[in-house]
Amino acid sequence: TSYAYVNPPVAVLFGVLLAGEHVGPYDIAGMAVILLGVAIITLFKQRAKG
């Protein structure tokens, strides 16, 4: 499950470093929403197992 947390920021970092992309506030907000969603899903899965 760690790849779900790592992939979005790494993809953005590669885009900035390799492709010269610019990261704006909407991009950062979108990444935060994605990571929060993954965290919530992971939390509920762990509670359902335990």
Side-chain angles (χ1 to χ4, degrees), residues 1 11 21 39 42:
T1 59
E21 295 178 356
T42 303

Side-chain angles (χ1 to χ4, degrees), residues 12-21:
V12 171
L13 180 64
F14 280 159
V16 169
L17 294 177
L18 301 176
E21 295 178 356

Side-chain angles (χ1 to χ4, degrees), residues 16-39:
V16 169
L17 294 177
L18 301 176
E21 295 178 356
H22 300 282
V23 178
Y26 290 119
D27 302 315
I28 293 173
M31 191 179 343
V33 169
I34 291 169
L35 294 175
L36 181 62
V38 171

Side-chain angles (χ1 to χ4, degrees), residues 30-50:
M31 191 179 343
V33 169
I34 291 169
L35 294 175
L36 181 62
V38 171
I40 290 170
I41 290 169
T42 303
L43 179 67
F44 279 112
K45 276 187 171 182
Q46 288 176 353
R47 284 189 179 181
K49 287 182 182 180

